[in-house]
Amino acid sequence: CSSDLTGWINTSNLYNDGVNIGIGTATPQANLEIKADSASILLDGINGAKNSSLIINCADGINGSSAIQLRSVGIPKWSVKNDHVHGTFGDVFAISNSNDAAASWALRIKQSKAVEIVDSLIVDINSLFVDGVSGNVGIGTITPLATLQIKGKDALSTSDALIVENSASTDLFHIQNDGMIGINNSIPNANLDIKGSSTLGTDTTFHITNSNGENLISTQNDGTVTIGENRHTTTGNDIKIDNLGNIVIG
């Protein structure tokens, strides 16, 4: 070892060229370069230490960035960085492939805490898929053909494709994998099965109107069915079938 501490450190694999430190190399290309068959860095807390940290600090908080870059045969493959350089995106934490350019970012977390995934998102194959090009979302499929497409796990009446509940866990809308649909009914027994909220004639179970709001068909919870709306008087209906089977016209 020379007097200015450059060169190989005695009985070690450590080399100091006066500027850079090399471990396993006499020509370090960075402030610290480790060259070995299986190069690694271990941060190991001792004496009951609970935390170990690797801190990379950038002195320029306006135009600089801190990064960890992963390479293969010298070619950048992935980098993780805290970026101040690309001001369009603000202060972000980014993961990119290939290089550090903004165009290669795969994921970034903005200063506003918003998380942006640049390409498609896959959560456990066939569980959740978001198409980064079309914006379509697939649940149970990675090839959604609509803004939201849900594919059931089977075609059985004993399993469900979609359940919508209110804050009280009351079933509002229910689609089984056999195609049966229930409204206010968790066990539909028809293609469309609607369960009323009571048995009263003042409560409506089903109602169809035209663009003017005029009644076409309505059913009350007591079984009364009304068809049409009487246009010749101010009250009444074209046809009404009450819960006793009586038919009233006009």
Side-chain angles (χ1 to χ4, degrees):
C1 181
S2 59
S3 60
D4 63 357
L5 298 180
T6 60
W8 289 102
I9 308 302
N10 290 335
T11 66
S12 75
N13 202 24
L14 182 66
Y15 187 88
N16 176 12
D17 69 1
V19 177
N20 298 328
I21 299 294
I23 299 178
T25 177
T27 57
Q29 302 301 307
N31 296 121
L32 174 62
E33 181 178 345
I34 301 174
K35 194 170 186 177
D37 290 337
S38 298
S40 63
I41 297 176
L42 173 63
L43 304 177
D44 191 4
I46 61 175
N47 299 326
K50 295 181 179 180
N51 301 298
S52 296
S53 301
L54 173 63
I55 300 174
I56 301 175
N57 181 56
C58 175
D60 188 340
I62 298 176
N63 300 307
S65 63
S66 302
I68 298 175
Q69 190 177 88
L70 307 180
R71 298 184 177 186
S72 176
V73 198
I75 301 174
K77 294 297 183 180
W78 288 92
S79 66
V80 178
K81 68 185 304 183
N82 178 33
D83 196 334
H84 299 276
V85 177
H86 301 98
T88 302
F89 303 103
D91 186 9
V92 301
F93 169 81
I95 298 177
S96 64
N97 61 5
S98 299
N99 53 58
D100 290 337
S104 70
W105 288 347
L107 178 147
R108 52 182 175 250
I109 302 175
K110 299 183 179 181
Q111 194 174 34
S112 63
K113 299 181 181 180
V115 177
E116 182 176 347
I117 296 174
V118 179
D119 206 338
S120 300
L121 169 66
I122 301 177
V123 179
D124 190 11
I125 193 72
N126 286 335
S127 291
L128 174 64
F129 177 80
V130 180
D131 192 314
V133 177
S134 67
N136 292 344
V137 177
I139 298 177
T141 177
I142 59 172
T143 56
L145 302 176
T147 303
L148 174 61
Q149 180 176 343
I150 301 174
K151 184 176 181 179
K153 296 179 179 179
D154 51 52
L156 303 177
S157 62
T158 53
S159 59
D160 304 308
L162 177 66
I163 297 175
V164 179
E165 297 180 338
N166 62 17
S167 59
S169 298
T170 301
D171 202 287
L172 303 178
F173 188 72
H174 202 103
I175 301 178
Q176 295 177 168
N177 281 328
D178 64 348
M180 301 294 187
I181 299 174
I183 297 178
N184 208 30
N185 187 352
S186 61
I187 310 176
N189 294 308
N191 289 338
L192 178 60
D193 196 338
I194 302 174
K195 183 177 181 180
S197 58
S198 70
T199 59
L200 302 177
T202 53
D203 295 331
T204 301
T205 306
F206 181 71
H207 194 194
I208 299 177
T209 63
N210 61 19
S211 59
N212 292 328
E214 298 169 331
N215 181 66
L216 301 180
I217 301 175
S218 65
T219 62
Q220 272 63 50
N221 286 333
D222 66 349
T224 299
V225 178
T226 302
I227 301 175
E229 191 166 356
N230 195 325
R231 295 174 176 79
H232 304 291
T233 63
T234 56
T235 60
N237 304 95
D238 289 343
I239 301 176
K240 181 177 180 180
I241 305 173
D242 65 22
N243 59 347
L244 299 177
N246 300 317
I247 299 176
V248 178
I249 301 176

